[in-house]
Each structure stands twice: as structure tokens, then as C-alpha cells.
Amino acid sequence: MPLFRRRPKPADQESEEEARNLAHAEREAAQSQAVREAEDPSPGSEADTGAPRTPADFERAVPWGVQIAAGWSWRLLIIAAAVLGIGWVMAYFSGVTIPVAVAVLLAALLQPLINMLTRWGAPKIVSVIVGLLAGFLVVIGVATLIVWQIANQSGELADQTVAGVQKLLDWLAQGPLAINAEQINHYQQQITDWAAASQGVIAGYAARGAASIGNFVAGLAIALFTLFFFLYQGNTVWDFLLRFVPGAARKKTDAAGRAGWKSLVGYVRATVIVALVDAVGVLIAALILGVPLAPALAALVFLGAFVPIVGALVTGFVAVAVALVAVGWVQALIMLGAIILVMQLESNVLQPFLLGKAVSLHPLAVLLGITVGITIGGIVGGLIAIPVMAFGNSFVSALTKLDDVETEIVRT
């Protein structure tokens, strides 16, 4: 006989436990029925009769992945619309926005010189004037070099071009293509007829070019005037812009903006050094190969280097084309190899070393940014796309770091 016997539960306790189990089963059945009706409502059910829905019903009816995709979609559409809207406004007021953008880049380029002169004891106004004159002389010097080279060697280049074209025609006639003289003359006549028929179009382009010169002069005046005040009263201008920022976020915006400006200054300075190295490399290769207009080609490469990837490709193609026409295809291939070598030195050594982590951008981001910039603003858009991305990258990184610091302070 066992020492301990299990005491039977009272009848009222057993009935309470059975009631709880029954209620739990009824709740589970109701939830399962609600899920089935939300997924596939049957006629006459609560989901089909137009009964009031709750947010929980919506959450169950729409898969989580679809909700995430929808949320990302409308946010990306708003961002794209904002980018297009800003681009349209900037394009519409291009007579002002382009000179101001150029003035910002020039201010980032000249600010280290202004700061150095100020540290040496020169008054701020004197430092700004000296910096403006130095920059103006550099630009005028580069433009004068290009024009003087073209004017001085235009006759020689024309003769070499004619000789090169004649060699090309001889190769077409005697080479593997075996194009006879009648076909070549026919193609030449077609080109002549097209040029004669397009005189009106060419005249229209010339007239628009003359009008563009006037717009260029006006834009240059605006850029110089804006540049002077950016250099002389840059902090005042920045403080005025900060007034449009809510007070709670003004301090963080100020710190992030100054970090972005520092990165922009570093980017412009590094770009100038890279452009100078590219120009010197092309100049040395052109002088060794005997390519005409070598200094002018070097100056063109220097200017083109300010538009990453695209500028180097275009100016490099011009240098190779001049070498092909003037001195032959062997020298053109050597010129192409020299340009590729210089570009590899730029992308693999100079840019990572000079730009650093603060303004580092992935090559895919650079390519897409230039494409979007050129699509929205043409050549100028491609010129300012990467500086804007460098500023934005540092600006967002600084804001993120400040938020992380505040979060750590709150937790401690």
C-alpha cells in the first residue's frame, strides 16, 4: 500500500481549468479564422461584408516584404523628384547658379593661400586681393598659352594634317579595303555638299556662340564679385545661411557644414595637384614624340582633369588624335600608352594618397554622379557633381558622428 496517495482535485477547480482551456481554444480558432478571411475572404464573412478593419488586419493582409518595398519606393520617388526639381531650378537660373558654383570652387581653391597670407600678418583685404590677382593671372596665363600655341603652330599643324589625310587616303586605296579613287572622290563630294547645305545651321551656331561670349563675360563678372565676398566675408555669409536652419539643429549643422567645407577644400587642392601631374606627364610624352602643340595639349589636359574620368578621356583622345594626324600611328599608340600610364598613376597612387578617407568616393559613385551632373547641367554639372558629392559625404558623416556622440552621452 503506497505511503502517499494523490489527493483528488475538487470539482470546482477541475471545472475552472476546463473553462480556461476551452476559452483558450476558442481564441486560437477565432484568430485562425480571421487570418484565413483576411487572406481569402469568403462570401458572407466579416472581411467580405465591409465590416470595419483595424491596422492589425492590414498588417496581416499585406506581406511584410511588400510593405518594405512600398515604403522604400515612395521615399525614393520623393528624393528623385527633389533632385530633379533642384536641377531644374538651377538650370533655369543658370546665369546665376553657375557663376556662384564656380565661385565656391575657386574660393575652396584660394582659401589656403588667403589663410597663409593672413598668418604672415597681411590684412584680410590685402590677402584676398592678392589671392584673386594670383588666380586671375594663372587663368589668363593658361588661356594665353593655348591661344599662342595654336596661332604659332597652326600652319605647321595644317600641313601635317593634310599629309596625314593623304596618307589615310592612300592606305584606303592600296590597303586591304581596296577602295578605289572614284569612291573616295564620291565621299569627298558628299562631305562638300553637306557643308554647303549646312551653311545656315553653321551660321546659327556661330551667332549663338557670339551670344554665349556675352553671357560668359557677364557670368565671369558675377563669379569674381561673388568670389571676393566668399573669401572676404565667408563666415558672415555662412552665419546668414544658418539662420534658415531650426535652432535645435543649428549647432550640428554648423559643425557638419564646416567639416564638409574642409573636405571640399582638400578635394579641390588634390584635384589641382593631380591635374598638374597629368599635364606634366602628357607634356613630357608629347615633347619626346615630337607632337606639335605639346604645351597647349598639356594645358588642355590640365583643365580637363577637373572633370573626373570624362575630362581625362576627352582630352586624352584629343592628344592621341593630334599625334595620329601629325606624326603617325606608331607615335599615336605610344602617346596612348603614356596617357594610360599617367591615368593609372593618378587613380592608384595620387588620388588615394591626396584625397584620403574624408572625401573618398567609390568609382561607381563617381561615374554615376558625373552622368547625373552632365544630364542635369551639361559640362558645368559634370564639373561640380563630384565636389557636391564630396561635400555631402563629409556633411552626412559628420552629422552621423555627432548623433552617435549625443546618443552615447544620453546612455551614460
Side-chain angles (χ1 to χ4, degrees):
M1 181 176 181
L3 297 178
F4 300 97
R5 179 178 298 175
R6 186 175 181 180
R7 184 179 180 181
K9 294 183 179 180
D12 56 349
Q13 185 175 357
E14 292 182 355
S15 60
E16 290 178 0
E17 185 176 355
E18 291 179 357
R20 284 197 299 270
N21 293 336
L22 180 61
H24 181 69
E26 290 177 351
R27 284 197 300 270
E28 289 184 349
Q31 291 177 358
S32 300
Q33 180 67 22
V35 171
R36 287 194 298 270
E37 289 180 355
E39 293 177 350
D40 186 16
S42 57
S45 64
E46 183 181 357
D48 185 61
T49 56
R53 307 290 180 86
T54 63
D57 296 331
F58 174 79
E59 296 291 340
R60 288 192 298 266
V62 181
W64 179 246
V66 176
Q67 297 180 38
I68 295 297
W72 273 104
S73 298
W74 70 260
R75 287 175 174 85
L76 290 176
L77 287 175
I78 291 177
I79 294 173
V83 171
L84 291 176
I86 294 173
W88 181 84
V89 171
M90 294 182 67
Y92 186 80
F93 295 101
S94 59
V96 176
T97 56
I98 291 177
V100 171
V102 173
V104 170
L105 295 180
L106 293 177
L109 176 62
L110 295 176
Q111 189 187 40
L113 176 61
I114 306 300
N115 294 338
M116 182 182 67
L117 294 176
T118 304
R119 287 195 302 268
W120 288 353
K124 186 65 175 293
I125 184 66
V126 175
S127 302
V128 171
I129 293 175
V130 171
L132 287 176
L133 289 177
F136 184 75
L137 291 177
V138 169
V139 173
I140 294 299
V142 172
T144 303
L145 175 63
I146 296 176
V147 173
W148 177 79
Q149 280 280 305
I150 294 176
N152 190 37
Q153 300 186 14
S154 58
E156 179 184 356
L157 183 61
D159 295 338
Q160 292 175 335
T161 302
V162 172
V165 172
Q166 188 60 44
K167 290 181 180 179
L168 177 62
L169 296 177
D170 294 340
W171 181 81
L172 290 175
Q174 301 174 6
L177 298 179
I179 300 177
N180 56 41
E182 293 181 0
Q183 290 176 320
I184 294 176
N185 293 332
H186 176 67
Y187 294 144
Q188 290 178 342
Q189 187 62 38
Q190 284 184 334
I191 295 174
T192 304
D193 295 340
W194 174 82
S198 304
Q199 288 182 356
V201 178
I202 296 174
Y205 286 143
R208 275 182 281 183
S212 299
I213 294 176
N215 295 332
F216 174 78
V217 174
L220 180 62
I222 295 175
L224 291 176
F225 189 76
T226 307
L227 175 61
F228 173 80
F229 283 101
F230 280 171
L231 293 175
Y232 185 59
Q233 294 181 329
N235 289 327
T236 304
V237 174
W238 176 244
D239 292 338
F240 172 76
L241 295 177
L242 284 176
R243 296 179 184 177
F244 296 95
V245 180
R250 190 170 298 167
K251 186 175 181 180
K252 291 194 296 184
T253 304
D254 183 24
R258 294 183 183 277
W261 176 255
K262 184 178 179 181
S263 297
L264 182 61
V265 171
Y267 172 83
V268 174
R269 182 173 61 246
T271 303
V272 170
I273 297 175
V274 170
L276 184 61
V277 172
D278 291 346
V280 171
V282 172
L283 177 62
I284 294 174
L287 290 176
I288 293 175
L289 296 174
V291 179
L293 303 177
L297 291 175
L300 186 63
V301 170
F302 176 80
L303 296 177
F306 286 92
V307 182
I309 301 177
V310 177
L313 288 176
V314 174
T315 56
F317 174 78
V318 172
V320 173
V322 172
L324 176 63
V325 173
V327 293
W329 66 272
V330 176
Q331 289 83 350
L333 289 178
I334 297 175
M335 189 71 186
L336 177 61
I339 291 175
I340 293 176
L341 180 62
V342 171
M343 298 308 168
Q344 290 296 317
L345 175 66
E346 167 195 333
S347 60
N348 295 322
V349 178
L350 294 178
Q351 286 187 352
F353 177 74
L354 294 175
L355 295 181
K357 296 182 179 180
V359 294
S360 60
L361 296 172
H362 194 275
L364 179 60
V366 173
L367 181 60
L368 294 179
I370 292 174
T371 304
V372 173
I374 292 176
T375 303
I376 295 177
I379 297 177
V380 178
L383 176 65
I384 67 175
I386 304 307
V388 169
M389 293 176 64
F391 177 87
N393 182 33
S394 298
F395 184 87
V396 173
S397 298
L399 278 182
T400 304
K401 291 179 181 178
L402 290 173
D403 290 337
D404 292 341
V405 171
E406 290 185 355
T407 304
E408 290 296 331
I409 293 177
V410 171
R411 289 178 178 176
T412 56

